[in-house]
Amino acid sequence: MTHPSTPNFNQLVAGCRNVAHMTGIPAEWIVAHGLLFGTALVGGKVCYRKARGLSPHIIGSPVTVLSDDEHCPGWFKTSTSRFQALQETVHNKVSSFISNAPSPAMMKRARTLMKQCAAVRDILPDPVLAAAESTCPRVIPDNFTFIHDLLDGTDIHDPGYRSFGPDILALAPGDECYRRFFANIGETPSILTSTATEPPHTRVTLHGWGNRLRLRRVFRQTGMDALPPLGLLLEFPPNSPPPFATETSLTPYTEFFEAVFAARLGPNITFLPGPELVAVLDKAVTEQAQRAAITGLPPASANPIPALPWNLSTALWLIERQGGEPRPENNPELVARACTLATHIHANHLATLHRIFPPGEDLTPDPTNAAIIDKLSVSPLHLRELTRKFHRISAGELLQRLSFLTEAGLTRQMDDGRWIVPAPWTEVAGESPSPVSAEASTASESSDPPSIPTATA
């Protein structure tokens, strides 16, 4: 069923299908990732409020993407590189302006000379007049800086929330970034410590990508209690060789982030649903917390974004505003979408946590089971091949552990007898999604969101 009142969401879906066609990553995941990253990019300019008179809540869903790729995948760079380049351009222009501006001492001398030579002011050299009339330049780069690339270090300087709000978007494009800022815990002002030590008006959102096996080892060294600031952990399949890559094909995808970026520059807006929808969203939040509680994992790690249904519904509401004022009668539809998306995203987060910290018989993290998961993640193995990779562990004990991990949904035996770690995603049913133009998307694409495959937690 087509909903003509939500063409902007249709266009986002079309753009995500184009990216899926180029990368081999299921379009469902590109949609989910786009919405999550959009909530981070928009900063503190988009909020939700449960009722009039109550304080607004800033949306923000940090997510760490684990991928087998050796480099940061292009579908991630696409949504960040333009804004990073724009930020760097502003920095360079203002730095050039400051370096060419007269110093305070020059301005003071020029003003003194103006007073002494007031009678012949009209014939004074232009540089003297310019220096006398100059004022201290405003330091724009600090105000403009809101994207922080962790490749440049983990220290936060003045967030400059006078212009862009109190939020910094920290990007971690590799496992070395995570290793670096985990090593800096306790130092001031590091990314992780600033979220707790800075005033309430400063908020840092982490969003990034890391090599899967390497990052698993980093996380195990630091422990599960250090993970909550990273938000949701999602495993993505590796990119396949792109059959084509054109700027036109990415237009519907990039336009979504352009609109989100424009919202960050604009006035504050607040999503205020009716009481019935507040009840639906609060119920989804409660159910999400209950699912996290029965896993036995630390609550902060198992449910790092408790208000995820609210955040995603606000992001969907923001998409509708791109074409004008959203229609209140469509709010139930977008709330239902948001709750479904949140359920599947959270389920895959829990599944990823179990792959990083696989449990043993006592339901606590088991290093041997973790080693089994890692070795099977590299390639499928027969039991005899797997036994050779372990010292002092019999085939019988390994088989018992594999049976336990299979019951937990973390391993599976194929028809040829080899054991594998099943992917936390499933392939899109049917043929590979075809590219869709921006013009055709609003006319032909359904606004119903694609269902995201659920991993077994």
Side-chain angles (χ1 to χ4, degrees):
M1 177 179 178
T2 300
H3 298 269
S5 58
T6 58
N8 295 295
F9 182 74
N10 300 345
Q11 184 162 320
L12 172 62
V13 172
C16 291
R17 286 176 176 166
N18 289 346
V19 177
H21 186 77
M22 289 187 294
T23 62
I25 296 175
E28 295 90 340
W29 281 113
I30 303 296
V31 172
H33 183 269
L35 291 175
L36 288 169
F37 181 63
T39 64
L41 180 61
V42 78
K45 290 302 185 74
V46 179
C47 311
Y48 67 85
R49 195 194 307 265
K50 294 186 178 182
R52 296 187 184 279
L54 298 182
S55 299
H57 299 266
I58 296 175
I59 67 173
S61 301
V63 55
T64 295
V65 180
L66 282 67
S67 171
D68 281 333
D69 300 315
E70 296 182 358
H71 304 286
C72 186
W75 54 266
F76 182 85
K77 289 182 178 179
T78 298
S79 53
T80 62
S81 57
R82 182 182 183 280
F83 307 125
Q84 287 179 286
L86 181 61
Q87 179 172 288
E88 184 177 355
T89 298
V90 173
H91 276 242
N92 293 338
K93 287 185 177 180
V94 175
S95 297
S96 175
F97 171 74
I98 293 176
S99 62
N100 294 327
S103 66
M106 293 173 60
M107 289 187 286
K108 183 177 180 180
R109 289 196 297 269
R111 288 166 186 164
T112 301
L113 183 61
M114 288 282 289
K115 292 179 181 178
Q116 295 173 346
C117 305
V120 291
R121 174 173 178 164
D122 293 341
I123 62 173
L124 289 176
D126 290 340
V128 175
L129 295 174
E133 296 173 356
S134 296
T135 58
C136 292
R138 297 179 61 185
V139 184
I140 299 177
D142 284 342
N143 292 343
F144 189 83
T145 301
F146 67 98
I147 294 180
H148 186 93
D149 194 333
L150 292 180
L151 284 176
D152 298 330
T154 62
D155 290 346
I156 294 182
H157 303 291
D158 177 15
Y161 40 80
R162 290 183 298 275
S163 177
F164 270 81
D167 299 275
I168 288 180
L169 174 60
L171 301 178
D175 56 279
E176 281 304 319
C177 293
Y178 295 99
R179 191 183 306 277
R180 185 184 303 119
F181 67 64
F182 275 130
N184 289 344
I185 292 179
E187 297 183 5
T188 302
S190 72
I191 288 282
L192 295 184
T193 58
S194 66
T195 58
T197 59
E198 292 293 319
H201 53 253
T202 301
R203 186 171 68 92
V204 176
T205 297
L206 292 167
H207 197 102
W209 163 87
N211 180 280
R212 183 173 300 161
L213 289 177
R214 291 180 181 177
L215 201 57
R216 282 181 184 173
R217 298 188 182 102
V218 173
F219 289 167
R220 289 166 186 161
Q221 291 171 0
T222 58
M224 203 178 302
D225 292 337
L227 300 185
L230 303 183
L232 298 160
L233 304 179
L234 301 179
E235 290 190 3
F236 274 69
N239 290 347
S240 62
F244 69 93
T246 64
E247 185 175 348
T248 302
S249 65
L250 285 175
T251 297
Y253 179 71
T254 57
E255 283 183 351
F256 164 71
F257 294 104
E258 296 280 355
V260 172
F261 180 67
R264 185 179 184 118
L265 302 181
N268 294 340
I269 57 176
T270 304
F271 175 46
L272 181 63
E276 298 83 0
L277 296 183
V278 170
V280 171
L281 287 165
D282 282 348
K283 180 182 178 182
V285 169
T286 301
E287 292 174 348
Q288 179 175 303
Q290 292 172 344
R291 287 193 299 271
I294 64 176
T295 62
L297 301 172
S301 299
N303 195 19
I305 313 294
L308 182 59
W310 275 100
N311 291 346
L312 294 181
S313 64
T314 306
L316 293 175
W317 175 78
L318 173 63
I319 292 174
E320 284 204 52
R321 289 184 61 93
Q322 297 175 28
E325 289 296 322
R327 298 182 181 180
E329 61 269 22
N330 289 331
N331 286 350
E333 178 73 19
L334 66 87
V335 166
R337 288 189 193 132
C339 293
T340 301
L341 287 166
T343 297
H344 292 306
I345 290 171
H346 184 240
N348 279 271
H349 166 72
L350 295 177
T352 301
L353 273 181
H354 277 120
R355 282 170 172 78
I356 300 172
F357 300 96
E361 295 288 350
D362 59 354
L363 299 183
T364 60
D366 188 298
T368 301
N369 286 349
I372 293 174
I373 294 289
D374 288 352
K375 293 182 187 304
L376 294 180
S377 297
V378 176
S379 63
L381 297 172
H382 289 283
L383 179 60
R384 181 168 49 185
E385 296 171 323
L386 184 61
T387 304
R388 293 172 183 165
K389 295 182 178 294
F390 288 90
H391 299 290
R392 301 176 184 176
I393 299 181
S394 66
E397 181 181 347
L398 276 178
L399 184 58
Q400 183 179 359
R401 289 179 177 273
L402 288 169
S403 298
F404 173 80
L405 292 174
T406 298
E407 291 180 1
L410 298 176
T411 60
R412 180 169 59 85
Q413 189 174 22
M414 298 192 299
D415 294 338
D416 61 2
R418 292 184 300 171
W419 293 87
I420 64 170
V421 175
W425 66 90
T426 58
E427 295 299 329
V428 179
E431 299 180 356
S432 176
S434 300
V436 183
S437 67
E439 294 78 11
S441 65
T442 57
S444 62
E445 292 298 326
S446 169
S447 62
D448 296 331
S451 59
I452 297 177
T454 306
T456 304

